[in-house]
Amino acid sequence: MKKIFTFIKDFLIERIIFLCGILAIIFVFLIFLFLLNQGISFFGAYSLWDFLGGKFWYPASDPPQFGILSLVIGSLFVTIQAALISIPLGVMTALFIAEIAPPVIKDILKSVVELLAAIPSVVIGFIGMITLVPLVRKLFNIPTGLSSFSGALMLAFMAMPTIVSISEDAIRSVPWSYKEGAIALGATRWQTMYRIILPASLPGIMGAVMLGMGRVIGETMAVMMITGNAAHIPSSVFDPVRTMTATIAAEMGETVKGSTHYHSLFAIGLVLFIITFIINFIADTFMRKTRR
Amino acid sequence: MVVKIQVNNLNCWFKNTQVIKSLFLSILEHEILGIIGPANSGKTTFLRCLNRLNDLNPHFKSKGEILKDGRNINTIKLETLRQEIGMVFAMPISLPMSIYDNITYGAKQHGIKNKKELSGIVEESLVKASLWDEVKGRLDQPALQLSGGQQQRLCIARTLAVQPEVILFDEPCSGLDPISTAKVEETMINLKDKYTIVLVTNNVKQAARVSSRIAFFLMGELVEIDTANDIFVKPSDRRTEDYITGRFG
Ligand SMILES: Nc1ncnc2c1ncn2[C@@H]1O[C@H](COP(=O)(O)OP(=O)(O)O)[C@@H](O)[C@H]1O
Ligand SMILES: [Mg+2]
């Protein structure tokens, strides 16, 4: 009797867990379908090539132009700058926390990093707008601080917690015996870090970086408040840019439901979805490598 | 007989527990000094004092002096000391890279950059570690693919590649099968002419096979040190006899 009960319990629990897993997949799939459905109706009214290759985003002109090239470039431009800032800084912070910092400082830093991750992006955007933007304007003596550079600084700041905490995990999971082996050969602390610990934890660090970048490319509020929102192809880091996410957020409220403009925003969402999907896929591949 | 390492009144503690008690010991040049004794008698701790690896542990304290070639090891630059006194651990720790890189790794960090010189070192070290014939065709493969015994000899080769004077072995065969063990033992005997070797082992027979002299450690104390022959034929301490004949430990 008891056996049967255990059997049923096991069976049920297994099914429920299976269901949860499947549900997650179904939701992602449904979101994709929804985007696809809305986006496809846009391509009935506008050519895919003009959409992907067009430089001008003038949804209100006559005839309207829906070229997202400048938006894609805007997103990538900000993302790359944010990557250049946050990756070295984040990985070095992780190394410092995992390998160098004395216990007290390590604990403090770790809680600070966790705290950073918890700040909502609007708040970061707002703080950036009133502090960082004027600072950048004065520092570089440019007409407006609302630029891709300011946005990238802010985004780097937001990607740091992800990069730091996941990299730190990867670094700490390098077996102690590797370090000891290197030290016993006469390696200095720095040589051990550079030649053994970093290479051994590289797959995990790559995964951390990809996840951090995923957050950056998907970020909306902060970039909308800080990058200046001019939809043109930037010629310097101090030019304002407009990202895909900011476009969707800014224009969704103004469009007529069911209009071409409305559908075009879903088409942007679709492009964004595909880009983030690719990034996550790459991240996942790297993470899987670490576990082995 | 030249004294390579002289240990004078060495005492060691982890936190407040004393694990080595007033140890006096000489290690002679080109000998294989076997160290035997039951678990937890301080053999590993002693070895790790010689290359100051214990210093990585914040709870470790020591008193007394260790002289290498007459010079206090605390006055030698850490990296130099660890290059001159190499160590092979119980578990073979090949680093997660190719066989070739495992060996050049240490040499590179001691400043050797020339490719030709490096390949020379790789071959020479592998030959000395009796591994060359088994791996010469696949130096670019990951070291972690080698068998346990091969990895242990790779670790020996890696240690040899930085040109040490002394090599510390900490139970190098504890995880190996008899055939691999025989190979490692043979390697150690071959190395004796050029290097000074300290071999910690919990296998009394192994100590008898390869050592010139044997030291018996018990609970942090050196009970007896003598030539392999004498210690087995006429041990001067009752505890040594008990241990060797297998009455405890
Ligand atoms: N890292 C450490 N921290 C605290 N105590 C240790 C540490 N390493 C060894 N000890 C203690 O030191 C004593 C000697 O250990 P060890 O040198 O490893 O002996 P052996 O190698 O002869 O087995 C043991 O009682 C052990 O518990
Ligand atoms: Mg031991």
Side-chain angles (χ1 to χ4, degrees):
Chain A
M1 191 58 207
K2 205 176 163 199
K3 242 185 185 163
I4 294 175
F5 182 71
T6 323
F7 177 77
I8 294 175
K9 203 170 77 182
D10 274 10
F11 180 83
L12 273 180
I13 289 175
E14 244 173 59
R15 284 305 127 111
I16 290 172
I17 291 173
F18 176 75
L19 201 72
C20 293
I22 285 291
L23 267 182
I25 297 174
I26 290 177
F27 282 143
V28 173
F29 191 68
L30 283 181
I31 291 171
F32 180 71
L33 271 191
F34 179 74
L35 279 176
L36 198 65
N37 179 33
Q38 298 285 329
I40 289 276
S41 28
F42 169 73
F43 296 118
Y46 201 79
S47 113
L48 176 65
W49 297 119
D50 289 346
F51 174 68
L52 290 178
K55 281 186 201 163
F56 302 106
W57 181 261
Y58 296 144
S61 69
D62 194 23
Q65 282 188 289
F66 296 105
I68 61 163
L69 194 61
S70 60
L71 308 182
V72 174
I73 289 178
S75 277
L76 293 181
F77 196 52
V78 176
T79 305
I80 289 169
Q81 286 178 66
L84 289 180
I85 300 167
S86 61
I87 295 171
L89 219 59
V91 173
M92 283 194 276
T93 310
L95 253 185
F96 180 74
I97 293 179
E99 291 292 322
I100 301 171
V104 183
I105 296 183
K106 180 187 289 196
D107 287 347
I108 297 175
L109 266 177
K110 279 182 80 160
S111 6
V112 169
V113 167
E114 269 156 37
L115 207 70
L116 271 185
I119 304 176
S121 62
V122 200
V123 176
I124 294 187
F126 185 67
I127 294 172
M129 198 166 73
I130 56 176
T131 60
L132 183 71
V133 169
L135 187 75
V136 167
R137 182 169 57 82
K138 275 197 212 109
L139 222 55
F140 298 98
N141 196 20
I142 43 180
T144 168
L146 295 167
S147 62
S148 68
F149 180 68
S150 312
L153 277 179
M154 226 56 244
L155 286 175
F157 189 69
M158 293 165 71
M160 284 273 287
T162 312
I163 297 181
V164 171
S165 57
I166 297 179
S167 300
E168 196 230 313
D169 277 350
I171 291 168
R172 260 189 310 128
S173 66
V174 175
W176 171 249
S177 59
Y178 287 2
K179 299 174 209 172
E180 210 171 53
I183 289 170
L185 283 174
T188 60
R189 203 166 168 185
W190 166 242
Q191 284 169 332
T192 311
M193 272 190 258
Y194 179 69
R195 306 281 293 279
I196 299 294
I197 298 176
L198 270 186
S201 54
L202 197 62
I205 292 178
M206 292 299 253
V209 164
M210 290 297 174
L211 285 182
M213 290 306 104
R215 171 147 197 216
V216 165
I217 205 162
E219 175 49 42
T220 310
M221 293 317 291
V223 282
M224 195 160 89
M225 293 158 91
I226 292 178
T227 55
N229 277 329
H232 77 120
I233 295 173
S235 55
S236 107
V237 294
F238 298 121
D239 274 3
V241 293
R242 177 192 276 214
T243 65
M244 292 185 275
T245 48
T247 307
I248 299 175
E251 296 179 9
M252 194 51 99
E254 305 164 2
T255 60
V256 182
K257 193 166 179 238
S259 66
T260 312
H261 186 192
Y262 177 82
H263 287 307
S264 75
L265 297 181
F266 282 95
I268 296 181
L270 195 61
V271 173
L272 201 57
F273 184 92
I274 292 170
I275 293 178
T276 12
F277 183 80
I278 292 172
I279 290 181
N280 275 334
F281 181 75
I282 297 172
D284 212 50
T285 316
F286 274 114
M287 302 278 257
R288 207 162 304 195
K289 248 190 181 168
T290 340
R291 255 172 256 139
R292 236 180 268 135
Chain B
M1 280 193 305
V2 182
V3 173
K4 186 71 188 171
I5 292 175
Q6 177 66 42
V7 179
N8 290 329
N9 200 10
L10 180 69
N11 292 274
C12 300
W13 295 263
F14 283 108
K15 289 221 170 117
N16 295 319
T17 321
Q18 184 158 17
V19 299
I20 288 183
K21 294 163 194 158
S22 50
L23 174 68
F24 289 84
L25 182 76
S26 325
I27 300 169
L28 308 176
E29 193 156 41
H30 300 313
E31 77 168 335
I32 298 185
L33 174 65
I35 297 182
I36 56 173
N40 291 334
S41 43
K43 307 181 298 288
T44 298
T45 307
F46 170 65
L47 272 198
R48 293 163 66 96
C49 283
L50 300 179
N51 64 354
R52 294 184 58 193
L53 217 50
N54 283 324
D55 294 9
L56 297 176
N57 186 331
H59 301 303
F60 177 79
K61 273 195 314 263
S62 73
K63 253 195 199 152
E65 63 172 4
I66 301 175
L67 308 174
K68 174 183 160 289
D69 299 319
R71 184 171 166 196
N72 191 321
I73 59 166
N74 289 332
T75 67
I76 302 174
K77 204 173 139 219
L78 258 183
E79 289 78 44
T80 313
L81 177 74
R82 289 175 183 155
Q83 176 243 312
E84 289 171 349
I85 304 185
M87 185 164 197
V88 175
F89 299 85
M91 288 307 295
I93 350 171
S94 326
L95 300 168
M97 38 174 104
S98 72
I99 296 174
Y100 187 91
D101 289 341
N102 255 280
I103 299 175
T104 55
Y105 167 75
K108 272 190 194 155
Q109 82 198 353
H110 289 293
I112 300 169
K113 295 246 159 63
N114 185 307
K115 273 238 170 81
K116 241 189 171 159
E117 199 179 339
L118 284 173
S119 344
I121 289 176
V122 170
E123 177 167 353
E124 192 192 322
S125 320
L126 282 172
V127 168
K128 279 188 190 162
S130 335
L131 187 61
W132 176 248
D133 290 331
E134 289 161 58
V135 301
K136 62 185 169 195
R138 47 181 177 137
L139 294 177
D140 54 345
Q141 283 178 15
L144 297 171
Q145 279 178 5
L146 297 174
S147 75
Q150 289 173 325
Q151 285 197 37
Q152 194 56 296
R153 279 175 286 146
L154 181 67
C155 291
I156 297 175
R158 188 177 73 189
T159 307
L160 294 175
V162 297
Q163 277 138 14
E165 300 161 12
V166 181
I167 308 175
L168 313 173
F169 288 89
D170 189 0
E171 305 193 15
C173 303
S174 55
L176 302 185
D177 60 279
I179 294 174
S180 306
T181 300
K183 281 194 177 148
V184 172
E185 285 177 10
E186 192 192 315
T187 309
M188 285 191 283
I189 292 171
N190 290 338
L191 292 174
K192 195 177 133 178
D193 294 339
K194 294 239 171 61
Y195 306 90
T196 303
I197 291 175
V198 185
L199 166 68
V200 164
T201 174
N202 53 12
N203 179 339
V204 176
K205 290 198 185 103
Q206 177 173 63
R209 282 194 296 266
V210 301
S211 320
S212 350
R213 291 192 307 151
I214 292 179
F216 175 56
F217 275 43
L218 184 64
M219 290 172 14
E221 282 176 75
L222 172 64
V223 175
E224 184 168 358
I225 178 166
D226 214 331
T227 60
N229 245 331
D230 284 352
I231 220 167
F232 285 109
V233 179
K234 44 176 174 60
S236 52
D237 195 292
R238 182 67 203 274
R239 291 170 292 175
T240 317
E241 195 181 338
D242 286 350
Y243 180 70
I244 292 172
T245 53
R247 246 167 276 173
F248 78 92

PDB file of all heavy atoms in Angstrom, chain B residues 16 27 34 47 50 75 92 111 113 122 132 136 151 157 173 175 198 215 217 220 227 240 249:
ATOM      1  N   ASN B  16      46.451  25.819  16.744  1.00  0.00           N
ATOM      2  CA  ASN B  16      47.222  25.609  17.969  1.00  0.00           C
ATOM      3  C   ASN B  16      47.733  24.188  18.122  1.00  0.00           C
ATOM      4  O   ASN B  16      48.273  23.822  19.147  1.00  0.00           O
ATOM      5  CB  ASN B  16      46.371  25.986  19.182  1.00  0.00           C
ATOM      6  CG  ASN B  16      46.065  27.466  19.172  1.00  0.00           C
ATOM      7  OD1 ASN B  16      46.940  28.278  18.853  1.00  0.00           O
ATOM      8  ND2 ASN B  16      44.817  27.820  19.473  1.00  0.00           N
ATOM      9  N   ILE B  27      69.394  16.162   4.782  1.00  0.00           N
ATOM     10  CA  ILE B  27      69.126  15.467   3.521  1.00  0.00           C
ATOM     11  C   ILE B  27      70.390  15.602   2.684  1.00  0.00           C
ATOM     12  O   ILE B  27      70.887  16.712   2.473  1.00  0.00           O
ATOM     13  CB  ILE B  27      67.917  16.093   2.797  1.00  0.00           C
ATOM     14  CG1 ILE B  27      66.669  15.992   3.687  1.00  0.00           C
ATOM     15  CG2 ILE B  27      67.676  15.403   1.462  1.00  0.00           C
ATOM     16  CD1 ILE B  27      65.490  16.805   3.206  1.00  0.00           C
ATOM     17  N   GLY B  34      63.791   8.307   1.964  1.00  0.00           N
ATOM     18  CA  GLY B  34      62.418   7.857   2.107  1.00  0.00           C
ATOM     19  C   GLY B  34      61.877   8.301   3.455  1.00  0.00           C
ATOM     20  O   GLY B  34      62.591   8.258   4.457  1.00  0.00           O
ATOM     21  N   LEU B  47      57.336  17.969   4.146  1.00  0.00           N
ATOM     22  CA  LEU B  47      57.703  18.217   2.738  1.00  0.00           C
ATOM     23  C   LEU B  47      57.346  19.631   2.329  1.00  0.00           C
ATOM     24  O   LEU B  47      58.138  20.325   1.693  1.00  0.00           O
ATOM     25  CB  LEU B  47      56.957  17.259   1.805  1.00  0.00           C
ATOM     26  CG  LEU B  47      57.537  15.901   1.474  1.00  0.00           C
ATOM     27  CD1 LEU B  47      56.858  15.365   0.223  1.00  0.00           C
ATOM     28  CD2 LEU B  47      59.031  15.980   1.260  1.00  0.00           C
ATOM     29  N   LEU B  50      59.606  22.442   3.122  1.00  0.00           N
ATOM     30  CA  LEU B  50      60.844  22.585   2.362  1.00  0.00           C
ATOM     31  C   LEU B  50      60.680  23.523   1.166  1.00  0.00           C
ATOM     32  O   LEU B  50      61.619  24.221   0.801  1.00  0.00           O
ATOM     33  CB  LEU B  50      61.343  21.205   1.882  1.00  0.00           C
ATOM     34  CG  LEU B  50      61.633  20.196   3.010  1.00  0.00           C
ATOM     35  CD1 LEU B  50      62.092  18.872   2.426  1.00  0.00           C
ATOM     36  CD2 LEU B  50      62.688  20.754   3.972  1.00  0.00           C
ATOM     37  N   THR B  75      65.403  33.263   3.174  1.00  0.00           N
ATOM     38  CA  THR B  75      66.090  34.387   2.533  1.00  0.00           C
ATOM     39  C   THR B  75      66.142  34.201   1.025  1.00  0.00           C
ATOM     40  O   THR B  75      66.618  35.066   0.310  1.00  0.00           O
ATOM     41  CB  THR B  75      67.529  34.531   3.059  1.00  0.00           C
ATOM     42  OG1 THR B  75      68.270  33.377   2.627  1.00  0.00           O
ATOM     43  CG2 THR B  75      67.569  34.625   4.568  1.00  0.00           C
ATOM     44  N   PRO B  92      48.059  13.098  -9.380  1.00  0.00           N
ATOM     45  CA  PRO B  92      48.695  13.806 -10.500  1.00  0.00           C
ATOM     46  C   PRO B  92      47.827  14.979 -10.918  1.00  0.00           C
ATOM     47  O   PRO B  92      46.646  14.811 -11.197  1.00  0.00           O
ATOM     48  CB  PRO B  92      48.747  12.740 -11.599  1.00  0.00           C
ATOM     49  CG  PRO B  92      47.812  11.667 -11.196  1.00  0.00           C
ATOM     50  CD  PRO B  92      47.666  11.743  -9.714  1.00  0.00           C
ATOM     51  N   GLY B 111      61.191  32.326 -17.724  1.00  0.00           N
ATOM     52  CA  GLY B 111      61.853  33.219 -18.673  1.00  0.00           C
ATOM     53  C   GLY B 111      62.365  32.588 -19.955  1.00  0.00           C
ATOM     54  O   GLY B 111      62.960  33.272 -20.771  1.00  0.00           O
ATOM     55  N   LYS B 113      61.939  31.514 -23.588  1.00  0.00           N
ATOM     56  CA  LYS B 113      60.940  31.826 -24.610  1.00  0.00           C
ATOM     57  C   LYS B 113      61.236  31.115 -25.919  1.00  0.00           C
ATOM     58  O   LYS B 113      60.351  30.810 -26.696  1.00  0.00           O
ATOM     59  CB  LYS B 113      60.917  33.346 -24.862  1.00  0.00           C
ATOM     60  CG  LYS B 113      60.462  34.135 -23.646  1.00  0.00           C
ATOM     61  CD  LYS B 113      59.135  34.834 -23.899  1.00  0.00           C
ATOM     62  CE  LYS B 113      58.435  35.170 -22.589  1.00  0.00           C
ATOM     63  NZ  LYS B 113      59.225  36.126 -21.780  1.00  0.00           N
ATOM     64  N   VAL B 122      61.280  19.936 -23.458  1.00  0.00           N
ATOM     65  CA  VAL B 122      60.159  18.995 -23.415  1.00  0.00           C
ATOM     66  C   VAL B 122      60.666  17.574 -23.617  1.00  0.00           C
ATOM     67  O   VAL B 122      60.359  16.670 -22.836  1.00  0.00           O
ATOM     68  CB  VAL B 122      59.099  19.348 -24.484  1.00  0.00           C
ATOM     69  CG1 VAL B 122      58.076  18.236 -24.604  1.00  0.00           C
ATOM     70  CG2 VAL B 122      58.416  20.647 -24.133  1.00  0.00           C
ATOM     71  N   TRP B 132      58.649   9.634 -22.618  1.00  0.00           N
ATOM     72  CA  TRP B 132      58.841  10.105 -23.998  1.00  0.00           C
ATOM     73  C   TRP B 132      58.278   9.126 -25.024  1.00  0.00           C
ATOM     74  O   TRP B 132      57.524   9.502 -25.914  1.00  0.00           O
ATOM     75  CB  TRP B 132      60.325  10.376 -24.234  1.00  0.00           C
ATOM     76  CG  TRP B 132      60.649  10.769 -25.636  1.00  0.00           C
ATOM     77  CD1 TRP B 132      61.357  10.052 -26.543  1.00  0.00           C
ATOM     78  CD2 TRP B 132      60.279  11.979 -26.316  1.00  0.00           C
ATOM     79  NE1 TRP B 132      61.460  10.716 -27.729  1.00  0.00           N
ATOM     80  CE2 TRP B 132      60.795  11.911 -27.618  1.00  0.00           C
ATOM     81  CE3 TRP B 132      59.552  13.120 -25.944  1.00  0.00           C
ATOM     82  CZ2 TRP B 132      60.624  12.920 -28.560  1.00  0.00           C
ATOM     83  CZ3 TRP B 132      59.373  14.126 -26.877  1.00  0.00           C
ATOM     84  CH2 TRP B 132      59.902  14.022 -28.166  1.00  0.00           C
ATOM     85  N   LYS B 136      55.441  10.695 -27.489  1.00  0.00           N
ATOM     86  CA  LYS B 136      56.162  11.573 -28.420  1.00  0.00           C
ATOM     87  C   LYS B 136      55.344  11.941 -29.652  1.00  0.00           C
ATOM     88  O   LYS B 136      55.511  13.006 -30.215  1.00  0.00           O
ATOM     89  CB  LYS B 136      57.503  10.978 -28.810  1.00  0.00           C
ATOM     90  CG  LYS B 136      57.420   9.654 -29.541  1.00  0.00           C
ATOM     91  CD  LYS B 136      58.820   9.109 -29.765  1.00  0.00           C
ATOM     92  CE  LYS B 136      58.727   7.663 -30.249  1.00  0.00           C
ATOM     93  NZ  LYS B 136      60.021   6.985 -30.153  1.00  0.00           N
ATOM     94  N   GLN B 151      50.034  10.455 -16.304  1.00  0.00           N
ATOM     95  CA  GLN B 151      49.903  11.828 -15.798  1.00  0.00           C
ATOM     96  C   GLN B 151      50.899  12.077 -14.680  1.00  0.00           C
ATOM     97  O   GLN B 151      51.464  13.156 -14.571  1.00  0.00           O
ATOM     98  CB  GLN B 151      48.482  12.079 -15.290  1.00  0.00           C
ATOM     99  CG  GLN B 151      47.485  12.246 -16.409  1.00  0.00           C
ATOM    100  CD  GLN B 151      46.202  12.891 -15.941  1.00  0.00           C
ATOM    101  OE1 GLN B 151      46.204  13.776 -15.105  1.00  0.00           O
ATOM    102  NE2 GLN B 151      45.078  12.443 -16.482  1.00  0.00           N
ATOM    103  N   ALA B 157      57.899  15.101 -15.213  1.00  0.00           N
ATOM    104  CA  ALA B 157      58.562  15.793 -16.330  1.00  0.00           C
ATOM    105  C   ALA B 157      58.401  17.304 -16.192  1.00  0.00           C
ATOM    106  O   ALA B 157      59.337  18.069 -16.407  1.00  0.00           O
ATOM    107  CB  ALA B 157      57.975  15.325 -17.659  1.00  0.00           C
ATOM    108  N   CYS B 173      52.672   7.382  -5.656  1.00  0.00           N
ATOM    109  CA  CYS B 173      52.075   6.189  -6.266  1.00  0.00           C
ATOM    110  C   CYS B 173      50.802   5.751  -5.575  1.00  0.00           C
ATOM    111  O   CYS B 173      50.270   4.679  -5.867  1.00  0.00           O
ATOM    112  CB  CYS B 173      53.080   5.040  -6.254  1.00  0.00           C
ATOM    113  SG  CYS B 173      54.604   5.474  -7.089  1.00  0.00           S
ATOM    114  N   GLY B 175      47.856   6.527  -5.867  1.00  0.00           N
ATOM    115  CA  GLY B 175      46.669   6.310  -6.691  1.00  0.00           C
ATOM    116  C   GLY B 175      46.938   5.452  -7.912  1.00  0.00           C
ATOM    117  O   GLY B 175      46.119   5.414  -8.817  1.00  0.00           O
ATOM    118  N   VAL B 198      63.393  13.462  -2.075  1.00  0.00           N
ATOM    119  CA  VAL B 198      62.744  13.100  -0.826  1.00  0.00           C
ATOM    120  C   VAL B 198      61.428  12.434  -1.184  1.00  0.00           C
ATOM    121  O   VAL B 198      60.616  13.008  -1.900  1.00  0.00           O
ATOM    122  CB  VAL B 198      62.475  14.330   0.066  1.00  0.00           C
ATOM    123  CG1 VAL B 198      61.920  13.893   1.414  1.00  0.00           C
ATOM    124  CG2 VAL B 198      63.740  15.148   0.248  1.00  0.00           C
ATOM    125  N   ALA B 215      63.634   7.632   6.884  1.00  0.00           N
ATOM    126  CA  ALA B 215      63.298   8.297   8.144  1.00  0.00           C
ATOM    127  C   ALA B 215      61.910   7.832   8.561  1.00  0.00           C
ATOM    128  O   ALA B 215      61.016   7.750   7.724  1.00  0.00           O
ATOM    129  CB  ALA B 215      63.304   9.810   7.957  1.00  0.00           C
ATOM    130  N   PHE B 217      58.705   8.725  10.729  1.00  0.00           N
ATOM    131  CA  PHE B 217      57.999   9.789  11.449  1.00  0.00           C
ATOM    132  C   PHE B 217      56.848   9.173  12.220  1.00  0.00           C
ATOM    133  O   PHE B 217      56.153   8.285  11.724  1.00  0.00           O
ATOM    134  CB  PHE B 217      57.400  10.795  10.461  1.00  0.00           C
ATOM    135  CG  PHE B 217      58.330  11.868   9.997  1.00  0.00           C
ATOM    136  CD1 PHE B 217      59.643  11.571   9.649  1.00  0.00           C
ATOM    137  CD2 PHE B 217      57.897  13.184   9.892  1.00  0.00           C
ATOM    138  CE1 PHE B 217      60.498  12.563   9.205  1.00  0.00           C
ATOM    139  CE2 PHE B 217      58.745  14.186   9.456  1.00  0.00           C
ATOM    140  CZ  PHE B 217      60.042  13.879   9.103  1.00  0.00           C
ATOM    141  N   GLY B 220      54.412  13.488  14.450  1.00  0.00           N
ATOM    142  CA  GLY B 220      55.146  14.748  14.393  1.00  0.00           C
ATOM    143  C   GLY B 220      56.584  14.656  14.849  1.00  0.00           C
ATOM    144  O   GLY B 220      57.290  15.664  14.885  1.00  0.00           O
ATOM    145  N   THR B 227      70.143   4.000   7.240  1.00  0.00           N
ATOM    146  CA  THR B 227      70.158   3.435   5.893  1.00  0.00           C
ATOM    147  C   THR B 227      69.030   2.414   5.796  1.00  0.00           C
ATOM    148  O   THR B 227      68.620   1.831   6.794  1.00  0.00           O
ATOM    149  CB  THR B 227      71.482   2.724   5.589  1.00  0.00           C
ATOM    150  OG1 THR B 227      71.640   1.674   6.539  1.00  0.00           O
ATOM    151  CG2 THR B 227      72.642   3.681   5.673  1.00  0.00           C
ATOM    152  N   THR B 240      59.663   1.796  15.604  1.00  0.00           N
ATOM    153  CA  THR B 240      59.988   1.583  14.198  1.00  0.00           C
ATOM    154  C   THR B 240      59.743   0.124  13.826  1.00  0.00           C
ATOM    155  O   THR B 240      59.135  -0.178  12.803  1.00  0.00           O
ATOM    156  CB  THR B 240      61.468   1.923  13.936  1.00  0.00           C
ATOM    157  OG1 THR B 240      61.786   3.119  14.623  1.00  0.00           O
ATOM    158  CG2 THR B 240      61.727   2.076  12.462  1.00  0.00           C
ATOM    159  N   GLY B 249      49.663   1.100  12.333  1.00  0.00           N
ATOM    160  CA  GLY B 249      49.819   2.063  11.247  1.00  0.00           C
ATOM    161  C   GLY B 249      49.199   1.582   9.955  1.00  0.00           C
ATOM    162  O   GLY B 249      48.511   0.595   9.900  1.00  0.00           O
TER     163      GLY B 249
END
